[in-house]
Amino acid sequence: MASDDKAKKAKEDALKARIAARKAEADKKAKEAAQKRAEREEQARRRWPVTRQLRAKLFKGAVIVNVTNIVQALLAQEVGATAISAYDKAVTATMMANHAVRMASPEAIRRYIDELMIPVITSVRIGHLMEAKVMERIGVNMIDEGGLTKAASVLPYFTKRDIGIPTICAVTSFKDCLLRIQEGALILRIAGARDGGDVQDAFKTLIAIQTNIQEMRLESKYNIYATDSEVYRPLLDNVRDSGRLPVLLFGSGGIHTPSDVATMMKNGCDGVFIDNNVFQSPDPEAHLKSILQAAKEFDNVEKICELSTKFA
């Protein structure tokens, strides 16, 4: 009997020891994770200005790459991309099937944040302020409102000043630009065709927007928008006097080659989003490097020709 009690006590002690060891290991991992988050937040504070406006201005000339996994994201970072726009596999599959799309898994996006040193952008549905707040809370650097939407949304856009990080919005017309700026968007993204589509859709929209901006100097054209109750007159005056939008305008949709990038930048884009199908190229690294170089030398036709032949 005594030996049975002793064996039973030994088993209990061993079980308690295993539980204590597991708890200690879990506490250690939690402490390391908390320390890593604190270090990341401190790095973000040092790397980013305090105001949303200054953060957005840092993206002048940016090349942002759409990625669907961490391997693509690490490659984009390695070749010098300014930032990545992150999706997870579940969201991508749902978008391709043209079904209702919700925000990406916070755990999937958190992994991008943990692994990368460049800014991470992710998409939320139009009008879904809580999705934006969730993504802000886990540490993304920017929100793309409407990046998950294939068709026009029936929901109103949320007020961008309700979150503390810059918001990107897709636009299809000059009036879209004015309305999104009024809501607080700091970067506008021309809504062209998605991966595999033709850059011409985005280019047509860009030319239409730039034409409307220049037409603001004509009183007859100015009055069309000035009498629109949805448009703020001071914003319209700012556009007319400066000859440009007061926020950054990016090209997106169908941008896949150095010449695509050069065309968009030369016609007034402040930066570009690169389609995810760049990773289907025979040499994605060389392809991305050519695109990044094209964004810097978009005025140099000879250089664009040279870059275009590198991956063709």
Side-chain angles (χ1 to χ4, degrees):
M1 184 69 71
S3 62
D4 289 345
D5 289 343
K6 189 178 291 187
K8 184 178 179 180
K9 188 175 184 308
K11 286 182 180 180
E12 290 176 351
D13 290 344
L15 179 60
K16 288 178 181 177
R18 287 198 299 271
I19 292 172
R22 288 173 185 169
K23 185 176 184 303
E25 182 66 21
D27 290 344
K28 180 182 177 182
K29 287 182 178 179
K31 186 176 180 180
E32 289 174 350
Q35 184 177 356
K36 192 172 183 180
R37 279 196 300 272
E39 289 173 355
R40 189 174 66 244
E41 289 169 1
E42 179 60 28
Q43 287 173 351
R45 277 192 290 271
R46 290 198 302 267
R47 193 165 66 236
W48 289 91
V50 175
T51 67
R52 294 162 60 251
Q53 288 81 0
L54 285 176
R55 292 181 193 182
K57 285 180 181 178
L58 291 178
F59 276 68
K60 174 76 172 175
V63 175
I64 301 169
V65 182
N66 293 330
V67 302
T68 58
N69 60 58
I70 193 65
V71 174
Q72 293 177 356
L74 289 170
L75 176 58
Q77 174 176 264
E78 183 181 339
V79 300
T82 310
I84 57 105
S85 181
Y87 301 90
D88 65 13
K89 290 182 179 178
V91 167
T92 305
T94 309
M95 288 170 69
M96 293 301 292
N98 203 19
H99 295 152
V101 185
R102 292 170 178 80
M103 69 178 184
S105 159
E107 281 304 314
I109 300 302
R110 188 178 280 116
R111 188 182 175 201
Y112 288 110
I113 296 168
D114 288 342
E115 295 284 343
L116 300 173
M117 291 301 296
I118 60 175
V120 174
I121 301 166
T122 193
S123 297
V124 301
R125 289 174 288 174
I126 291 172
H128 282 259
L129 178 60
M130 190 51 66
E131 284 188 350
K133 285 183 175 290
V134 168
M135 288 302 172
E136 178 185 17
R137 181 69 182 84
I138 67 173
V140 301
N141 301 103
M142 281 193 185
I143 295 294
D144 185 347
E145 183 185 9
L148 300 176
T149 306
K150 276 199 167 187
S153 173
V154 296
L155 290 175
Y157 285 77
F158 60 73
T159 301
K160 295 15 167 195
R161 299 174 188 87
D162 289 337
I163 59 174
I165 55 178
T167 304
I168 302 166
C169 281
V171 294
T172 58
S173 67
F174 178 55
K175 184 174 178 180
D176 268 358
C177 295
L178 298 175
L179 296 179
R180 302 294 81 82
I181 293 169
Q182 289 169 190
E183 294 159 357
L186 294 174
I187 295 179
L188 303 178
R189 174 176 60 79
I190 292 172
R194 288 194 181 276
D195 289 338
D198 194 335
V199 72
Q200 284 188 339
D201 292 339
F203 184 56
K204 288 175 185 176
T205 301
L206 172 62
I207 294 303
I209 290 171
Q210 297 292 29
T211 300
N212 287 150
I213 290 172
Q214 298 310 313
E215 287 177 345
M216 286 302 96
R217 300 182 186 279
L218 302 174
E219 187 173 353
S220 59
K221 296 290 185 179
Y222 173 85
N223 287 337
I224 293 173
Y225 290 96
T227 55
D228 189 327
S229 60
E230 292 184 296
V231 176
Y232 292 169
R233 180 71 70 89
L235 172 58
L236 204 57
D237 292 344
N238 178 298
V239 173
R240 179 189 61 186
D241 296 341
S242 65
R244 63 158 293 145
L245 297 169
V247 300
L248 299 181
L249 179 64
F250 274 49
S252 74
I255 299 176
H256 183 69
T257 67
S259 58
D260 290 341
V261 173
T263 297
M264 299 301 285
M265 300 285 281
K266 191 170 178 62
N267 283 278
C269 280
D270 298 300
V272 289
F273 281 76
I274 303 304
D275 280 354
N276 181 257
N277 61 8
V278 70
F279 294 102
Q280 297 172 18
S281 168
D283 188 346
E285 182 177 352
H287 196 149
L288 280 168
K289 285 180 178 178
S290 295
I291 285 172
L292 288 160
Q293 192 65 31
K296 296 176 182 176
E297 301 190 53
F298 60 86
D299 260 334
N300 187 337
V301 177
E302 185 175 341
K303 187 65 177 178
I304 299 302
C305 180
E306 176 192 335
L307 293 170
S308 298
T309 59
K310 283 187 176 181
F311 64 89

